[in-house]
Amino acid sequence: MTARLLWLDVARGLAVLAMFAFHFGWDLGHIDPDIPYTDAYKAFGHAIAASFLFIAGLSLTLAHGTVFRARAYWRRLALLIGAALLVSGGTYIAFPSSFVFFGILHCIAAASLLALPFLFLPWPAAFAAGFALVAASFFARASVFDAPWFWWTGLSTFEPMTNDYRPLAPWAGALLFGVGAAKLARLRPAALTDSHGNVMTRGVALLGRHSLALYLLHQPLFFAGFTAVAMLLAPMQNARFEEACRAQCVASGANAQKCETACDCAAREAAREDALPDATTDEGRARLERIARACVVK
């Protein structure tokens, strides 16, 4: 049984912690829609994805540094493909219009296949291929790749609507950079030793050793938690909306009794249509105004 490199598990564990932080903020977008869409936040997500792919390239090279272990390689690839299909299936059920058809796991699986010949070539070949993929994402885009069956390439002229999109160009380049870096540094499986670290280091390393399982489990748990919080906060949100509605209605000169009836109706309809979480957007405000006008007519 191959021993493990503590620093590599720690690096992967830190990427897992960053992923937790990123998805926690992303899920907060269900409460505040502005959170996930800033340039800085997007860059944070890109850095996390690149780190996972780079570490995957390092690990792939270390696992097959001197002798290609075909059985271990194909078993790992099958596990990645199965996990990727699970993500696609789960997100299709939850978000059919923006399901994940080629996310980070799909990319790691496809890039692992692409990297196979580079395990036997000198390190400059892996770096050259990685740079070619990055360059292609800037200079090889064309409308011929706009058809859905080519979206996995990353060469379409637009970004498809999906909750996680990591196409081969440029993202597989990060994995190839990891392959090249491991070869350049002449890392060898024989050097893999699990050094003794402090409690915190070993805890982070433990996360890294179970990164795939944590990736699959953390989002459903986060989403369930935020949904529960939203359900708990909904009555308070409805009450605040109804109170503000009555104050505005009375201030406009309408009868207090009529305002109470209309605003009670508007609060119930807004809750039924789940309109209150979008109240901070122009579309959400227009939706609430439509509901309020309909209740006044009643």
Side-chain angles (χ1 to χ4, degrees):
M1 182 177 178
T2 306
R4 301 187 66 101
L5 243 172
L6 182 64
W7 67 263
L8 189 59
D9 282 332
V10 169
R12 195 183 291 109
L14 291 172
V16 168
L17 289 173
M19 175 184 68
F20 285 172
F22 177 81
H23 283 152
F24 185 85
W26 182 271
D27 291 342
L28 276 175
H30 296 291
I31 297 172
D32 183 348
D34 294 330
I35 288 175
Y37 297 106
T38 63
D39 290 339
Y41 206 81
K42 289 179 182 178
F44 181 39
H46 292 337
I48 296 167
S51 68
F52 270 115
L53 284 155
F54 183 82
I55 292 169
L58 289 176
S59 300
L60 185 64
T61 308
L62 286 165
H64 308 281
T66 54
V67 178
F68 178 65
R69 299 183 299 126
R71 185 176 179 181
Y73 174 86
W74 295 112
R75 184 173 63 243
R76 173 184 174 274
L77 186 63
L79 183 63
L80 282 169
I81 292 173
L85 291 174
L86 188 63
V87 169
S88 291
T91 54
Y92 184 79
I93 293 171
F95 313 103
S97 63
S98 58
F99 77 100
V100 177
F101 61 87
F102 208 88
I104 186 71
L105 293 182
H106 304 72
C107 187
I108 292 175
S112 296
L113 270 175
L114 185 65
L116 185 55
F118 296 98
L119 296 177
F120 309 101
L121 295 173
W123 65 264
F127 277 115
F131 280 117
L133 282 167
V134 173
S137 69
F138 290 98
F139 303 112
R141 293 180 180 274
S143 57
V144 69
F145 297 107
D146 287 348
W149 47 86
F150 289 132
W151 287 349
W152 58 273
T153 64
L155 300 179
S156 60
T157 59
F158 62 92
E159 184 171 320
M161 182 179 293
T162 175
N163 281 312
D164 183 27
Y165 184 51
R166 308 295 172 186
L168 284 186
W171 294 101
L175 188 143
L176 290 171
F177 290 150
V179 171
K183 284 180 163 290
L184 178 61
R186 297 183 178 181
L187 298 177
R188 292 290 182 266
L192 297 180
T193 54
D194 192 0
S195 307
H196 294 290
N198 59 37
V199 174
M200 183 176 293
T201 300
R202 294 171 69 84
V204 174
L206 185 64
L207 295 177
R209 292 175 187 175
H210 301 285
S211 57
L212 181 58
L214 290 170
Y215 177 85
L216 293 173
L217 291 174
H218 81 283
Q219 267 293 63
L221 292 175
F222 279 5
F223 195 76
F226 277 108
T227 300
V229 171
M231 290 175 66
L232 289 173
L233 293 177
M236 296 172 58
Q237 196 173 31
N238 290 349
R240 286 197 298 269
F241 169 75
E242 189 172 351
E243 183 180 351
C245 174
R246 287 177 184 172
Q248 186 174 354
C249 180
V250 171
S252 69
N255 177 271
Q257 182 62 42
K258 185 175 181 180
C259 287
E260 183 174 353
T261 302
C263 289
D264 178 64
C265 166
R268 282 187 282 105
E269 287 300 309
R272 186 180 65 81
E273 295 187 23
D274 196 25
L276 292 178
D278 297 328
T280 57
T281 66
D282 291 339
E283 183 181 350
R285 283 190 289 271
R287 191 177 172 194
L288 285 174
E289 287 175 8
R290 174 183 58 77
I291 291 171
R293 283 197 300 270
C295 285
V296 169
V297 170
K298 290 180 181 179

